[in-house]
Amino acid sequence: MSCTILAIESSCDETSAAVISDGKILNNIVATQSVHEKYGGVVPELASRAHQQHLIPVVAEALRTSGVSKKDLTAVAFTRGPGLMGALLVGGSFAKAFAYALNIPLIEVNHMEAHVLAHFIEKPYPEFPFICLTVSGGHTQLVLVKNHLNMEVLGETSDDAVGEAFDKIAKILGLPYPGGPHLDRLAGKGNPKAYSFPLSDMKGLAFSFSGIKTAVLYFLKENIKQEPDFIATHLEDICASVQFTLVKMLMQKLVKASREHQILEVAIAGGVSANSGLRNTLKEAALENDWQIYLPKLEYCTDNAAMVAMAAHYKYRAGIFCDLDISPLAKMKIGYHG
């Protein structure tokens, strides 16, 4: 069944559109929102307004560069959730109007499932079943992927996401927004064993990252008392030690999940999957545990419409569409379709 789909992503602070034709991504247009930089974090209302400004030009560029006209489209897809409610409303409303005007089907996509399915944009593809560690500013989950449309969350964070921990600690250290990539860059120059921070001790496959933020804050306060320029003098070692601890917390649970479910196909996805410390540690763990690992291209780690388009492709093939009155779900869970 031939299909050409326009996909829209607007869950947070990236406005993105992509076109997919018979499973092949034709483009992936992304407009970033620099308005948040001076606030040190995403401001939901400003994100919604920026989506309104960017969406029409981004969609027009996606259609133009793909060589696909509106009449060639067989469906329109959009991120239903999870995400910022206002941002989701902008993208969802646009997608509904576009589908209605063209009288073509509408497809809702789970943002976190889309991150997982980014692994099917380009070969090599993971073999089912596989375990995917999805890590971002809003989520930290271990997902058992049984097929393209059947996923189960094995464990997730009980409080903060690991991406939030990276960004908040980076902010404490005085790094620019977004802080995670800056912390990663500095960590590459430091000693990961310079300082020790506590690991969370959650049962099963659950994560917790609120404690390390507090631990780092008190650690800095105590050392600044003795050495006022402590952060500036030891910044690279601090970043390396923080990153080492956060990555170790992720890897402990990933190894545990792989052994419990006897699965050697392992992938990572989401914004934090671009972190060099995590990627390098995963490669080392693959040798120790005989894993076949899958690392997404950097352009498919952060929020983008190509992954939404790929998820929509599989839903289209399965005949899974939604009504025009469907509402966004800010806390949409993996495995929920309704």
Side-chain angles (χ1 to χ4, degrees), residues 36-331:
H36 307 286
E37 292 177 3
K38 63 181 178 181
Y39 299 102
V42 177
V43 181
E45 175 61 21
L46 296 181
S48 301
R49 292 177 183 272
H51 283 306
Q52 290 178 319
Q53 295 171 345
H54 294 162
L55 197 48
I56 291 177
V58 163
V59 169
E61 182 67 5
L63 291 173
R64 185 189 68 81
T65 57
S66 69
V68 172
S69 67
K70 289 181 285 188
K71 64 180 178 61
D72 297 324
L73 296 172
T74 55
V76 178
F78 71 101
T79 299
R80 184 183 181 191
L84 302 176
M85 182 58 77
L88 293 169
L89 278 167
V90 174
S93 298
F94 185 95
K96 290 178 187 181
F98 212 90
Y100 179 76
L102 296 175
N103 193 29
I104 56 178
L106 182 68
I107 302 173
E108 54 91 10
V109 171
N110 183 305
H111 181 77
M112 299 312 296
E113 292 179 359
H115 270 304
V116 174
L117 293 177
H119 283 286
F120 294 90
I121 294 176
E122 296 180 2
K123 293 182 179 179
Y125 306 144
E127 293 186 9
F128 300 114
F130 67 92
I131 291 175
C132 188
L133 174 66
T134 56
V135 279
S136 67
H139 297 83
T140 303
Q141 298 177 326
L142 282 167
V143 181
L144 175 60
V145 187
K146 302 172 185 177
N147 60 49
H148 299 109
L149 299 174
N150 188 352
M151 305 181 195
E152 176 188 352
V153 176
L154 302 175
E156 58 189 334
T157 180
S158 61
D159 41 57
D160 302 330
V162 66
E164 181 181 353
F166 269 112
D167 287 340
K168 290 290 178 63
I169 292 173
K171 188 173 183 179
I172 293 171
L173 294 172
L175 301 180
Y177 171 85
H182 291 285
L183 192 151
D184 182 20
R185 177 180 56 81
L186 291 166
K189 303 175 183 178
N191 176 10
K193 302 291 183 66
Y195 307 107
S196 178
F197 298 107
L199 300 170
S200 65
D201 186 23
M202 301 294 289
K203 293 182 179 179
L205 297 176
F207 299 91
S208 173
F209 297 100
S210 61
I212 187 171
K213 293 191 301 184
T214 304
V216 170
L217 181 61
Y218 283 114
F219 164 82
L220 294 174
K221 285 183 176 180
E222 288 299 316
N223 282 277
I224 289 172
K225 288 180 182 178
Q226 303 173 31
E227 185 182 344
D229 294 331
F230 178 76
I231 292 178
T233 305
H234 304 280
L235 183 58
E236 293 173 351
D237 285 346
I238 297 169
C239 289
S241 299
V242 166
Q243 181 159 291
F244 174 83
T245 305
L246 289 171
V247 170
K248 186 172 182 179
M249 291 163 71
L250 293 172
M251 293 304 302
Q252 284 180 338
K253 299 293 184 175
L254 182 56
V255 170
K256 183 178 177 68
S258 170
R259 292 174 178 173
E260 286 185 358
H261 292 269
Q262 298 184 344
I263 293 176
L264 301 180
E265 295 277 310
V266 176
I268 57 175
V272 180
S273 65
N275 179 274
S276 64
L278 176 58
R279 294 170 86 95
N280 292 334
T281 304
L282 184 66
K283 292 174 184 177
E284 295 172 0
L287 297 175
E288 296 174 4
N289 296 280
D290 198 27
W291 287 345
Q292 182 64 47
I293 60 170
Y294 302 88
L295 307 173
K297 278 190 173 182
L298 295 182
E299 64 185 291
Y300 302 132
C301 292
T302 53
D303 295 346
N304 66 90
M307 66 183 194
V308 177
M310 185 55 64
H313 167 75
Y314 291 111
K315 297 188 81 168
Y316 188 97
R317 285 175 48 182
I320 302 174
F321 307 113
C322 62
D323 296 328
L324 290 173
D325 62 353
I326 195 166
S327 300
L329 292 174
K331 296 186 181 298

